[in-house]
Amino acid sequence: QVQLVESGGGLVQPGGSLSLSCVASGVNVTNYFMNWYRQSPGKERELVATSGRAGRTTNYLDSVKGRFTISRDHAKNTVYLQMNNLKPEDTAVYLCNAGVFRPEGTYIGRYWGQGTQVNVSS
């Protein structure tokens, strides 16, 4: 069975850094769009970063551009999110997602991790 397991979350002060990892098993991440979402209480789930199939493209939420970097290590079947210069508004549960696009362009988030909590506070 497929599993995505996130790690690396924790408590960090504003301006600090964290590196999140998403280790996949039962699926080859090379064949999927890999995404990081975040979810805060009372807010809609927000797409933070996208790594296209085989990592050929990347896209970021405007508010994290220049601070966050999504990357892959296909030999380890792992996706990373390096987060620098963290701000209190980055506080959320960060979730790893693997998905595909249907022929008409609709995105299907096929697999989800359980999430890792990131708290940015003084």
Side-chain angles (χ1 to χ4, degrees):
Q1 60 181 342
V2 174
Q3 286 187 306
L4 303 178
V5 180
E6 302 100 333
S7 63
L11 176 63
V12 64
Q13 293 185 350
S17 298
L18 286 172
S19 182
L20 307 184
S21 298
C22 172
V23 180
S25 60
V27 61
N28 187 344
V29 303
T30 307
N31 300 320
Y32 290 86
F33 276 69
M34 300 299 299
N35 309 290
W36 287 96
Y37 287 81
R38 65 188 181 189
Q39 180 76 65
S40 298
K43 298 181 180 179
E44 294 185 359
R45 187 163 55 197
E46 188 174 43
L47 178 61
V48 177
T50 294
S51 174
R53 187 177 179 183
R56 291 190 289 265
T57 60
T58 58
N59 285 285
Y60 298 93
L61 182 68
D62 284 345
S63 62
V64 309
K65 287 180 179 178
R67 300 189 296 119
F68 291 11
T69 302
I70 188 170
S71 62
R72 301 167 175 241
D73 186 337
H74 289 151
K76 297 180 179 179
N77 213 27
T78 300
V79 180
Y80 303 95
L81 185 67
Q82 178 65 45
M83 304 185 294
N84 299 322
N85 193 24
L86 283 161
K87 302 176 180 180
E89 53 263 42
D90 296 319
T91 295
V93 174
Y94 284 73
L95 302 108
C96 182
N97 165 257
V100 297
F101 282 92
R102 299 176 67 90
E104 71 272 20
T106 303
Y107 178 73
I108 304 297
R110 183 166 291 174
Y111 306 112
W112 292 89
Q114 293 182 322
T116 185
Q117 179 72 51
V118 172
N119 291 312
V120 185
S121 176
S122 298

